[in-house]
Amino acid sequence: MPEPGQEKVKPRTLAVLDLGSGTFRLALYGLVPGRAYRLLDELREPVALGEGLASGRIREEALERGVQALRAFADFLRVLAPEEAVTLATSAIRDAENGHLVLEEARRLGLSPRVVPGEEEAALGVLAVANALPLAEAVVVDQGGGSAQVSLMRERRFGWGKALPLGALRLTEALLPSDPPRKGEVRALEEAVEKALKGLPLEAGLPVVGLGGNLRALAKLHQKRRGYPLDLLHGYHLPREGVEELAEDLLSLPLRARMELPGLQADRARTLPATALFFRALLRRLRALGLWVSGLGIREGVLFSRLLPPPHLLPDPRAFAVENLFLRYPFPHPHRDRVKALAQALFQGTRPLHGYGEEEERLLLEAAHLHDIGMHLGYHDHHRHGAYLVLAEPLLGLSHREQALLALLVRYHRRGNPEAGSLRPLLTRGDGKRLKRLAVLLRLAEMLERTRSGRVRGVRVEVGAGVRLRLEAEADPWVERVEAVKQGELFREAFGKPLEVVWEGDRG
């Protein structure tokens, strides 16, 4: 249901088929143009279409795998019948002499494939990154099976981009024939990457963002080594030393051993050494300390081109992500808005005690916006359910630290002693106190709306030897006062002062 004053927009479905050199993917999205989207389903087929690409032609076995995948995707789309289906053909089909055979089969099956030029592929990747990560400028690198798109993003816009023949499958076939690769082969690959990058106007000092399934596989291996507490790859920072270590380890293992690495899809084991070497060379060339992993790529670039009018940029990706999550698990808007207003009044009134600024205020209001989303899974433990939902998927524009804090605030909005627990490694100095203070403010706002009736119209905060909350209400909001008073001990722990809650009608 749209909020009051918002025009109702008809939801629609969009399918995006990405006929990549290593993997064919189909993503099915539900979207409300200009407002929201969600991933509804996804198919993945590791076709290795780029086999033989080093010789200029796709091998017959690879063509057959591609045809079988196309048939499965076409059948899937016939049943689901999305309003729009976009089929993109990338490097292998673009570069191979016989790539037209894949296009002909796709057309015979009722699909409408389009060969995407390298620069457009790069631009779609940049568009996804611009809407997904809190970066205005970056070197964006999307390595697929056949090519790697290297681009410059300036002020969240596509500056320039070039497709290079440095895809993981192409590099493996051409330069890493041995199992495991030999030192001479490794040197040859590094020289090829260095030569290709040397001709680009790359700028050292900019953040580096990496896209692609193989890079995500590298990041997952690094997370497992660290015991990383979040099962999220988007927004993960992969340090250069991590890439260096992974490259050395992967080069020491034969294919069979790589296939048994925990969490690694078997079809990526063959080409992963080439990806590690490619990104190692890239980071050395740029003198970068690491790179940010994007879980969004060209498919999401297409999605944003349908979701938003030109230039297809979310004005505030973070605000969009919070609202997008709320729309999936909504609870009554009046209650949400009253809790937000009370939380903001409490934050501003206690500013002399905490000294926090816009960052903390925004986090508190986001938690208030989402605090009851767990009610969709049931009333009991809905605070835990809500925290789970906040962490279930990446939230665009938020760092992992910010997403962890947001989940913890939702988790402790009604009961419990706020603690970071397993998420502690994601937090920074002062976040323990920050969590407790913001959590008690959110909990007080929730308690002052305990009957969900809006009886407490506002609150004034008086700070002295203690803190007095003076409630604005037509009649004594007994339940709200009692529930708020119960938070006095936690308030004292957080702020070092006793708490008093009085009704505006009180004169004592």
Side-chain angles (χ1 to χ4, degrees), residues 37-253:
Y37 80 88
R38 65 183 298 184
L39 178 65
L40 300 175
D41 210 337
E42 192 173 45
L43 291 181
R44 176 185 185 273
E45 289 294 335
V47 298
L49 194 69
E51 279 188 358
L53 199 57
S55 64
R57 291 181 61 83
I58 301 170
R59 293 176 184 165
E60 288 300 320
E61 315 90 89
L63 281 173
E64 181 58 28
R65 289 193 297 269
V67 167
Q68 292 300 321
L70 284 174
R71 288 173 181 168
F73 289 178
D75 186 54
F76 186 82
L77 291 175
R78 273 194 296 271
V79 174
L80 294 181
E83 278 87 354
E84 183 182 8
V86 178
T87 303
L88 306 178
T90 57
S91 177
I93 298 172
R94 187 170 64 222
D95 298 341
E97 293 176 11
N98 55 347
H100 62 93
L101 297 176
V102 182
L103 300 175
E104 290 168 5
E105 179 64 19
R107 294 187 187 103
R108 191 185 69 78
L109 291 167
L111 304 173
S112 301
R114 184 171 68 85
V115 177
V116 182
E119 185 175 5
E120 182 182 347
E121 187 177 355
L124 287 171
V126 168
L127 178 59
V129 168
N131 284 317
L133 290 172
L135 298 171
E137 300 184 348
V139 175
V140 179
V141 184
D142 182 1
Q143 189 197 40
S147 66
Q149 283 64 238
V150 181
S151 312
L152 179 67
M153 180 174 73
R154 285 286 195 198
E155 297 181 353
R156 299 181 65 208
R157 306 292 183 98
F158 178 69
W160 58 262
K162 187 173 179 60
L164 304 173
L166 300 176
L169 184 56
R170 192 188 303 229
L171 288 174
T172 300
E173 280 198 332
L175 299 170
L176 301 181
S178 302
D179 180 30
R182 297 174 179 171
K183 290 183 179 179
E185 295 169 356
V186 171
R187 283 196 299 271
L189 187 150
E190 290 175 330
E191 289 170 1
V193 173
E194 177 64 24
K195 181 179 179 181
L197 295 177
K198 198 171 184 179
L200 301 181
L202 293 171
E203 301 178 36
L206 290 178
V208 181
V209 178
L211 290 73
N214 268 22
L215 175 63
R216 292 193 295 274
L218 278 181
K220 181 174 284 189
L221 289 175
H222 189 257
Q223 286 184 340
K224 287 187 175 296
R225 289 186 172 193
R226 291 181 58 196
Y228 198 66
L230 274 189
D231 189 23
L232 297 176
L233 291 170
H234 177 76
Y236 183 68
H237 187 261
L238 182 57
R240 187 168 78 178
E241 58 267 24
V243 176
E244 300 267 1
E245 291 170 6
L246 286 167
E248 292 301 323
D249 290 349
L250 290 168
L251 290 170
S252 70
L253 298 174

Side-chain angles (χ1 to χ4, degrees), residues 345-346 349 458-462 468-472 504:
L346 291 167
V459 56
R460 289 190 290 115
V461 182
E462 299 171 355
R468 173 179 291 178
L469 305 185
R470 193 172 289 280
L471 309 185
E472 299 172 6
E504 183 71 6

